[in-house]
Structures are given as C-alpha cells and as structure tokens.
Amino acid sequence: MPKQAQPSPAQPPPGKPGAPGPSAPAAGTVAGTVAGTVASAAQAAALVAVARSTKLTGRAALLAVVICSIALSLAYPVREYIAQRQQIDQLLAQQQSLADQVQALSEQNVKLAQTWYVEQEARDELHMCFPQETCYTVVSGQAAKSAAVKPQAAADPWYAKLWESVQKADAADAADAADAK
C-alpha cells in the first residue's frame, strides 16, 4: 500500500490557493481568482465556526453574568412573595373559622333570647322546675348511689403539704436520735 505524501506545514494543502499541484487553476485566470476567493471564504467560515464552538465569547459570558444577577436579585422577593401568600392563606382560613364561630354564637344568642329554650335548658341541665310542677328524675336501671357519701375535704395547698412533710422528717430524725442514745 503506497503512502500518501503529507503536505508540509509551510505549504498549503493541494487544491487550496497558492498550492502547487494539478488541481490548482492557473493564478492569472478568472477561474483561478474565483476559486481562490471561494476557497478562502469557505476556509475562513470553517475556522470561525470551529472558533465559536470551542470558545466562550465575551457576549455569552456577559449574558451569563446578567442572567445570574437577575436570578439572584429576584430570589429574595420571590421567596418573600411566597411566604406572604402562605400567611394570607392562613389568615383567610382563620377568618373563615372565626366567621363560623360568630355564626354559631349568633344562633345560640337567638335561642337564648327565647324563653322556652331557657326553660328547657334549665330543666335539662340544671334539673330545675317551676314551683307548681312536680319533677321526677329517672335513673337508668342502676341502683341509686347512697346518699351517705362523705363530702370530700378540700385539698390542702402545696405549702401545707410541704410543711407537713418537713415536720414528719424532723420527727423521724428526733426518733432516730433518741434510739441512738
């Protein structure tokens, strides 16, 4: 297999303007001038395309910096906007809850303004009746609790319990001291 001759770096490849060889038209002809111009324009376009694809141009770098700065300057306001929207939603839910509560209290107020409702509540909740009526309490099938239940004494305050425990501890120490003698 014969080796092809490689063009030297000083000489342009065959078929390019100024290259010796059979494919190059004569320099003085119109075809040679047009072919040289077309070849040099195509070569220049190829070099520019290669340069653009491998390098980051100054305009592209500036565009990237501008986009990053815009994104960073908008990050905080967008975050605050989202937080405010969440707070508004919470307040609207709270307002709705309070409006429902006001509605329920208004309905209860209307009921309490009617005397028949107040009388019914007094009978049901407080076991009250009018003086001319006889009231009965129905116990649900279980034996009634004995009426002789001792009333519970009021609980002592915390400081009384503390003082009592100090006195017991002091009495115990005095008894131990007497046993030791």
Side-chain angles (χ1 to χ4, degrees):
M1 189 182 211
K3 288 188 176 182
Q4 292 181 348
Q6 296 290 329
S8 69
Q11 294 179 353
K16 301 295 180 195
S23 62
T29 65
V30 175
T33 307
V34 171
T37 307
V38 170
S40 64
Q43 183 180 14
L47 289 175
V48 169
V50 169
R52 282 188 185 165
S53 66
T54 59
K55 288 187 179 179
L56 180 66
T57 64
R59 287 184 181 177
L62 181 64
L63 181 63
V65 168
V66 168
I67 289 173
C68 288
S69 65
I70 289 173
L72 289 175
S73 66
L74 289 178
Y76 182 74
V78 168
R79 185 176 57 183
E80 288 297 314
Y81 173 76
I82 292 170
Q84 288 175 355
R85 290 303 307 171
Q86 289 175 346
Q87 185 179 11
I88 288 171
D89 292 341
Q90 288 175 345
L91 290 174
L92 288 174
Q94 183 181 6
Q95 183 181 14
Q96 182 63 35
S97 172
L98 290 174
D100 293 342
Q101 190 176 8
V102 166
Q103 179 67 26
L105 290 173
S106 297
E107 291 171 2
Q108 185 179 6
N109 190 24
V110 168
K111 285 182 182 179
L112 288 174
Q114 299 171 357
T115 56
W116 64 269
Y117 182 76
V118 174
E119 290 173 1
Q120 180 184 354
E121 288 295 312
R123 284 188 186 110
D124 294 342
E125 299 295 324
L126 303 175
H127 304 289
M128 298 178 78
C129 56
F130 287 109
Q132 59 275 58
E133 292 180 349
T134 304
C135 294
Y136 297 99
T137 303
V138 178
V139 180
S140 61
Q142 297 178 354
K145 294 181 180 177
S146 95
V149 176
K150 295 181 182 178
Q152 293 181 347
D156 292 335
W158 64 271
Y159 52 85
K161 291 179 183 177
L162 177 67
W163 183 248
E164 186 179 317
S165 68
V166 169
Q167 288 178 340
K168 286 181 183 178
D170 190 34
D173 286 341
D176 289 341
D179 289 341
K181 287 185 183 182

